[in-house]
Amino acid sequence: MSENEPGHFEKAKHVQRIGMPHFDIVDAHSFNKYHETALQNIRKLRNIHAPYLSPIDKFRLELDESWPAGANIESLYGKKCFVGLCRIINGISGSVLEPHIDKLSRDSNDSYAAHSLESQLAANIYIATPDVGGEVEIWLKEPEIEVYEKELEKTQSYHVNRDILGQPDAVISPKVGDLLIFNSRCFHAVRESSGGIRSSIAAFVGYRGINHSLSLWS
């Protein structure tokens, strides 16, 4: 695989990616790979958009300028995190992301930095959208981790069975150039799409209090 050829998610192999997400860390080897390639992948995404400012760099700059205490790249265990995950979903059968949550303290359970977060937001910037489908579903339900883990055991995957959730509280159809921000600790999913690719650049934003800087990672 060439340097700029997309890889895929370990827990959702039908989704291609540029950059390695933190939630693909499963052992010491992948932990080291994530942190060792973090800055390399940030620069790779920046080079892909050159000579223009990359969308995630623009978002980081404006967030840093707008928030009183600023916004910085998250560090875990004294190591920089990656920011700017590019996700690519081809419009083929099964091109969905099932209901799940994202919570850093669950993925990095022995990190003080992860457990110091009061809340965690997902920020998605849309680069390409399909002709049909690809809507974001959001349920305003933030489960207890113990309950969530039990539901994951039933599916033996990264997601829960959507039958336990009922109808989503919000269904959003992103357009190219949109920025969508939501609580990533609530259940969310992506519907099946067709007629073109669905591509977005994603980051998480961590909040530790009004007087603390925001942190970003992917």
Side-chain angles (χ1 to χ4, degrees):
M1 185 171 66
S2 68
E3 181 182 358
N4 291 322
E5 184 179 346
H8 59 76
F9 286 87
E10 292 302 318
K11 299 174 185 177
K13 293 185 181 297
H14 62 289
V15 181
Q16 293 180 300
R17 61 168 172 79
I18 299 175
M20 180 181 176
H22 184 272
F23 47 75
D24 265 358
I25 295 176
V26 294
D27 54 24
H29 173 74
S30 53
F31 171 88
N32 290 332
K33 180 179 179 182
Y34 172 81
H35 288 289
E36 288 170 0
T37 61
L39 295 181
Q40 172 188 326
N41 283 326
I42 288 173
R43 291 165 184 151
K44 180 188 297 185
L45 267 294
R46 186 175 294 142
N47 290 337
I48 287 173
H49 289 90
Y52 304 103
L53 184 66
S54 77
I56 198 65
D57 281 351
K58 184 175 188 292
F59 176 67
R60 286 172 50 197
L61 284 169
E62 293 188 351
L63 198 62
D64 183 47
E65 293 164 356
S66 301
W67 188 253
N72 304 301
I73 297 176
E74 181 66 79
S75 291
L76 298 174
Y77 310 99
K79 300 176 184 293
K80 287 283 189 182
C81 289
F82 168 56
V83 183
L85 179 69
C86 182
R87 293 180 294 200
I88 305 164
I89 302 178
N90 291 311
I92 57 176
S93 178
S95 58
V96 301
L97 283 175
E98 298 290 357
H100 64 284
I101 68 168
D102 294 293
K103 188 171 184 177
L104 185 60
S105 59
R106 175 178 174 268
D107 299 327
S108 186
N109 56 22
D110 59 347
S111 166
Y112 171 78
H115 284 273
S116 67
L117 292 174
E118 291 187 20
S119 59
Q120 176 177 331
L121 302 175
N124 294 326
I125 304 168
Y126 293 87
I127 307 302
T129 55
D131 296 333
V132 179
E135 299 91 348
V136 178
E137 300 174 295
I138 300 173
W139 289 261
L140 300 180
K141 300 174 181 178
E142 188 174 327
E144 295 292 334
I145 289 300
E146 294 79 7
V147 175
Y148 183 65
E149 296 290 353
K150 289 181 180 178
E151 293 299 328
L152 293 182
E153 290 176 5
K154 295 177 183 178
T155 62
Q156 292 294 298
S157 187
Y158 70 91
H159 64 86
V160 303
N161 190 325
R162 67 170 50 239
D163 292 342
I164 69 171
L165 298 177
Q167 293 298 314
D169 295 288
V171 178
I172 302 165
S173 299
K175 305 301 181 187
V176 172
D178 282 353
L179 166 64
L180 175 61
I181 299 177
F182 60 90
N183 181 357
S184 70
R185 294 177 175 180
C186 289
F187 286 107
H188 52 281
V190 176
R191 290 182 175 176
E192 189 169 352
S193 61
S194 62
I197 66 170
R198 181 187 189 278
S199 178
S200 63
I201 298 178
F204 293 115
V205 180
Y207 170 82
R208 293 182 171 90
I210 192 67
N211 296 317
H212 294 267
S213 62
L214 301 174
S215 62
L216 296 100
W217 72 96
S218 294

